[in-house]
Structures are given as structure tokens and as C-alpha cells.
Amino acid sequence: MSHTNTMTLTSHAMPRDARIFVAGHRGMVGSAIVRKLASEGYANLLLRNSAKLDLRNQSNVESFFAEEKPEYVFLAAARVGGIIANSTRKGEFLYDNLMIQTNVIHNAYTCGVKRLLFLGSTCIYPKLSPQPIKEEYLLTGTLEPTNDAYAIAKIAGIAQCRSYNDQYGTRFLSAMPNNLYGPNDNFDLTSSHVLPALIRKFHEAKVAGAATVTVWGTGSPLREFMHVDDLAEASLFLMNLPEDSYTALLACQAAPALINVGSGEEISIADLARTIKDIADFSGELVFDTSKPDGTPRKLADSSRMRELGWRHRTDLRDGLRDAYRWYVENSCNQIKLGNNL
Ligand code: GDP
């Protein structure tokens, strides 16, 4: 936890009474954005859970936009999940994401939304991208097969934002964070990502006095992790960028309307497991189950464009892991939920 982000709110910033739709506000990312908006004094947030507004339903989304007339949209609603959910439920990952984003982005255009931030993940980039991954590597190679359905849906969303910007003059931006973690993460072991899964496994093993904890794969893949509160801060930072910087991002020739948001904090899965073992104070052994997939060997985002704009993440990985572990222990009774933030 170090520095101060240099961005100050200018006249281009969202007014405090702006009508802001946070799609997916109950998920890890959406809830972090809501916390950040609330802490900054934004009081006119439009929030609907999936029982009230199914974003996959075209006419429901159309009515919602026509009635509520949002001015800004954070599109954090998505079908998300870890390596097994992504590779075994591809139909859901493709359909749900395509429907949600198509409806929300299209209605944001028809209702004249001023700015929209579409959130995805760095798994949209080719499996064997040069590292660190620059935005312009999009669509330059074959995708990682364990998450290609999710990635193709998200790439379609990026293309939709770009196409609408080109054809209709909208100001929609896509931001691709790395692997996120934090409060309201999904701790369901069949659908979660590695970090919450390991927090849960080590905690439960310690409580049960188990001798071992199983880590999937070889432990050698490298992943870049970031606390979700840092992404929330980055999301507001982007939404409030002065017009000239925002326009430059949308018009960037190499990769229009697309920006990576990462921490640069890269660690192997084996080292991540050892760190969480330490934090959870588990004294047993690690076992690597190599029948489970490793996925892509490495995905480190090049976030230099964010840094050039004046943004850096704040939370170092060890501090963030301690915070996430504490949150899990305090909330574990009611945190066994499905892997989505619709
Ligand atoms: P990915 O970043 O899209 O590959 O998704 P994950 O976060 O699910 O997996 C990252 C890496 O962690 C993969 O190499 C997994 O095999 C590995 N991993 C180790 N243990 C676990 C676990 O308990 N759950 C998950 N989801 N992944 C694990």
C-alpha cells in the first residue's frame, strides 16, 4: 500500500448525482465498484439483481433502460468461473455473456449513455502471447482452449463497443483486468478460481486437522493477481478520465477502446499455495493433482497504458491475501454460492 493515484476529479468527471447503472452489483467486481462509488459520494446508483432484471432478456433490458435512463454504465455482469467451470460449461459461458453484453451495450447506445465501461479479463488474449501482454495482441493467435468460449464472448463485447463507437459515435471502453480476488468472491470449489479455492481449502484443512491440501495441476503456471478494490478504483478512474485522455484511449490505433488493468504482481500457483498455506497457518503438506489442467502457462498483462495515465494498484499481494483470508473466515457460513455475478 504505497502511493497516491495522481488523477484528480475534473469537470469531466461524473457528477455526484449522475444516474449510474452498475450491472452485476452483487458479484465481486460489481459490489466493489458500488462500494467505491458510495465512498466517493455517488448517490444515484441504479442496481437490480438478476431476479428483478434478467440481463439476458432483450425486452427486460430495453424497458429498464427506457425507464431509468442511465447516464453511465459499469458492465460487470457476467458468467464467470475458474478453469473447470469454464471448460465444462462452455454453452452457458458463451450464451450468458453474449446475451448480457449485447443487450446492455446496445441499449446503452439507444438511450444515449455518456460512457460505458465493459469489464472482461486477460484470458481474451492468445494462449501463447508474448509477455507482458499488450492490448494490441488481441486476435493475433489461438486462444487457451479451457476458456475459449468465455474469451470469444468477451471479444465480441469488445468488438461491439468498438463498432458502436465507430458507427454511432458512442464512447464505450473495455477494460481487461488480470485475476482478481477479494470480498464477495466465489468460494464454490467446483466453479471458483484458484485463489478463493485455495483460501477455502487451506482453511477447511486446518479446521479439520487434515494432513494434505490438493492443488490442481503442476503448480508451475504463473498468474497475475490484483485485489478487486484496486480494480474498482481503476474503473472509476477510467470513467472519470478527462475528455482528451478518454478520447485518445478510444482512438488508439494499435488497440482502440481497450485497456489492460493489472498489478504486475505475478506468482506461480505453487508459490501462491505456499503463501496461502502460511497465512492460513496450515501445517500439512501440498499435493499436486496433475490430472487437472494447468491452463495457459502465463498471462501477465502489460498495464503500461494505465500507468502512463497516472494509475497504479495499491494493494500488495500478501496484504491482499491476508485481507481476503480474513474476509472468508468471517463470512464463510454464507459464502457458498454459484459462480456468476449476473
Ligand atoms: P485460469 O486463470 O483461467 O486458468 O483459472 P483458475 O484460477 O481456475 O486456475 C488457475 C490455475 O490454478 C490453473 O493452473 C489451475 O489448475 C490451478 N489451480 C490449482 N488449484 C486449483 C483449485 O483448487 N481451483 C482452481 N480453480 N484452480 C486451481
Side-chain angles (χ1 to χ4, degrees), residues 82-83 179 192-194 197 201 215-216 221 223 269 293-294 299:
I83 194 160
N179 292 40
S192 69
H193 281 100
V194 59
K201 285 181 182 178
V215 180
W216 295 352
R223 292 291 183 273
I269 298 302
D294 267 349
K299 47 177 169 180

Side-chain angles (χ1 to χ4, degrees), residues 6-272:
T6 52
M7 166 79 188
T8 48
L9 298 183
T10 69
S11 57
H12 306 279
M14 297 183 287
R16 291 298 192 277
D17 62 351
R19 303 172 67 75
I20 303 172
F21 176 36
V22 182
H25 73 284
R26 302 225 290 196
M28 176 171 68
V29 171
S31 61
I33 291 174
V34 167
R35 284 196 301 278
K36 181 69 185 163
L37 285 165
S39 78
E40 298 270 332
Y42 291 97
N44 207 351
L45 305 187
L46 307 172
L47 309 174
R48 296 285 186 285
N49 63 34
S50 54
K52 288 247 169 63
L53 173 62
D54 183 346
L55 294 171
R56 295 168 297 190
N57 183 302
Q58 188 177 13
S59 59
N60 290 358
V61 177
E62 203 177 305
S63 310
F64 169 77
F65 271 81
E67 281 158 25
E68 298 293 347
K69 299 184 176 50
E71 296 167 276
Y72 296 89
V73 174
F74 292 89
L75 179 38
R79 173 72 58 194
V80 298
I83 194 160
I84 296 296
N86 247 299
S87 55
T88 56
R89 292 164 39 202
K90 291 191 180 196
E92 278 170 75
F93 277 75
L94 195 72
Y95 179 83
D96 290 346
N97 287 313
L98 282 174
M99 296 304 283
I100 291 166
Q101 69 204 30
T102 303
N103 288 333
V104 172
I105 295 168
H106 183 71
N107 283 285
Y109 150 58
T110 55
C111 291
V113 161
K114 296 187 172 94
R115 289 185 182 185
L116 173 145
L117 187 70
F118 173 56
L119 292 155
S121 116
T122 49
C123 67
I124 57 159
Y125 293 111
K127 176 183 174 87
L128 299 176
S129 286
Q131 308 280 324
I133 309 170
K134 292 182 189 298
E135 289 86 351
E136 51 262 43
Y137 299 164
L138 185 69
L139 292 172
T140 56
T142 309
L143 296 165
E144 157 60 37
T146 53
N147 57 34
D148 56 359
Y150 171 87
I152 286 168
K154 287 289 177 183
I155 293 168
I158 294 166
Q160 193 183 1
C161 290
R162 286 176 170 174
S163 306
Y164 280 44
N165 291 349
D166 285 351
Q167 186 175 351
Y168 307 126
T170 50
R171 299 178 66 70
F172 299 162
L173 175 66
S174 301
M176 298 300 126
N178 53 11
N179 292 40
L180 301 168
Y181 66 93
N184 297 318
D185 209 340
N186 168 24
F187 290 91
D188 169 48
L189 294 180
T190 58
S191 59
S192 69
H193 281 100
V194 59
L195 195 151
L198 292 179
I199 285 180
R200 178 170 176 179
K201 285 181 182 178
F202 281 112
H203 181 65
E204 289 185 348
K206 183 182 69 175
V207 170
T212 60
V213 160
T214 302
V215 180
W216 295 352
T218 61
S220 66
L222 295 165
R223 292 291 183 273
E224 180 192 12
F225 293 96
M226 187 169 74
H227 196 283
V228 70
D229 286 348
D230 288 335
L231 174 68
E233 189 187 67
S235 300
L236 261 71
F237 175 88
L238 288 169
M239 207 57 124
N240 282 328
L241 270 183
E243 284 298 328
D244 51 348
S245 314
Y246 195 79
T247 302
L249 274 185
L250 299 188
C252 163
Q253 270 211 326
L258 177 64
I259 189 159
N260 291 337
V261 185
S263 60
E265 295 218 30
E266 199 184 28
I267 186 171
S268 74
I269 298 302
D271 284 343
L272 176 74

